[in-house]
Amino acid sequence: MGYGPGPSVATSGTGTSRGTGAPVPPVAPAPVEDDDRLFARLYPTLRRFAAVVAPRETDPDDLLQEATARALRHGPLTRLDNPEAYLRRTMVNLAANERRRLGRWRRARSRLVPTDAEPSPASYPSDVSDLLALPAAARAVLWLVDVEGWTFDQVANLLGCSPEAARARASRARGTLRHLLRAEEQAQQADRATRADRATRADRVDRVDPPRQADRATPATRADRVDPPRHADRAQQVDRARRVGPAHPAGHAGPTDEEVRP
């Protein structure tokens, strides 16, 4: 059985196709992504992750910039097998170091400056403010597993720990968050109860003793109600003075009884 000519197979360079002898154009290599395009593609994801693991006093952009600068010291980002994972792990380590440094700074400052005179540190707004009470590694585990859908094996590979350690960190972090949220809810309920009690007491006072409230509002009319005879005597005195005539100046003797008598 004979075999017909096989399909044309392109070869690299300026070779010829099998069977036809026609020249084949060279195959261009796939374009290599440079660092600028790579970072622009990874930035939204890395920026959200930086906002999760960064301490309250640290700008997430500063954390991401520091991690990128450390990676670029040894060469371009494209040399890395997984630049995203490398930058994530670097940010977690930097955030943990910064959290320990800030803890030492707060303890030292509390010994030097009174608590009431110490200014509150600048904080950056975040949608994950409830996670700020957790360490950086615990925040990273919860975010990657519960939000981005990573497996514990992937998280363990990123953080350099075992999958069991990653699960333990996630369990402790969830328990801490439940405790904090429960305490915050109880504080809000107590505050609402206090406000409702104050409003009830104020309303009860208004219903039980309305005359006192009216007297406070109109102090001028209270004297008229309490002592009306005194005001009547004063009016009679004014009327009698008008009938008698104007008062005599000082040093002038008043009229005698004969001058007054008709």
Side-chain angles (χ1 to χ4, degrees):
M1 178 182 294
Y3 293 90
S8 299
V9 178
T11 60
S12 61
T14 58
T16 59
S17 61
R18 184 184 302 173
T20 62
V24 178
V27 178
V32 179
E33 190 176 22
D34 58 0
D35 278 1
D36 293 338
R37 294 180 180 178
L38 175 62
F39 187 79
R41 179 172 58 84
L42 298 178
Y43 175 77
T45 303
L46 294 176
R47 175 58 174 76
R48 288 192 296 268
F49 187 75
V52 172
V53 300
R56 186 189 303 271
E57 298 84 356
T58 303
D59 189 351
D61 284 319
D62 292 343
L63 181 63
L64 177 56
Q65 180 180 359
E66 179 64 22
T68 306
R70 295 200 176 195
L72 292 175
R73 291 176 186 173
H74 306 285
L77 296 177
T78 53
R79 84 186 191 280
L80 301 171
D81 295 335
N82 193 342
E84 181 180 0
Y86 183 87
L87 292 175
R88 286 177 186 264
R89 182 167 56 251
T90 304
M91 284 191 291
V92 171
N93 295 335
L94 290 174
N97 295 338
E98 183 68 9
R99 190 170 186 263
R100 287 191 291 269
R101 186 192 69 81
L102 289 173
R104 292 192 297 268
W105 178 82
R106 294 191 191 97
R107 290 191 295 270
R109 187 175 179 85
S110 63
R111 292 193 294 268
L112 299 175
V113 181
T115 305
D116 53 354
E118 182 178 0
S120 57
S123 60
Y124 297 89
S126 174
D127 295 334
V128 291
S129 57
D130 292 334
L131 298 177
L132 294 177
L134 302 176
R139 300 183 214 171
V141 172
L142 286 184
W143 179 264
L144 295 175
V145 173
D146 295 339
V147 179
E148 298 192 12
W150 286 34
T151 64
F152 284 107
D153 293 337
Q154 293 173 326
V155 174
N157 187 27
L158 174 69
L159 298 180
C161 62
S162 63
E164 291 74 14
R167 289 190 180 88
R169 286 180 177 178
S171 178
R172 289 194 298 268
R174 292 190 183 102
T176 302
L177 282 181
R178 282 194 298 268
H179 177 73
L180 293 176
L181 294 176
R182 189 178 298 112
E184 182 179 357
E185 183 179 0
Q186 292 176 355
Q188 292 177 355
Q189 291 178 355
D191 183 64
R192 288 194 296 266
T194 301
R195 293 182 180 180
D197 183 65
R198 290 177 180 174
T200 302
R201 290 182 180 179
D203 183 67
R204 186 183 302 116
V205 169
D206 294 340
R207 292 197 308 268
V208 171
D209 195 7
R212 179 178 300 178
Q213 302 295 330
D215 291 344
R216 292 176 181 175
T218 57
T221 59
R222 182 172 55 189
D224 298 337
R225 293 198 307 267
V226 172
D227 195 7
R230 179 179 299 176
H231 293 274
D233 294 341
R234 187 179 303 170
Q236 293 174 2
Q237 292 175 3
V238 172
D239 184 65
R240 184 165 52 252
R242 289 176 179 175
R243 291 197 306 270
V244 170
H248 296 283
H252 185 271
T256 60
D257 293 340
E258 290 78 4
E259 294 177 345
V260 176
R261 185 179 303 111

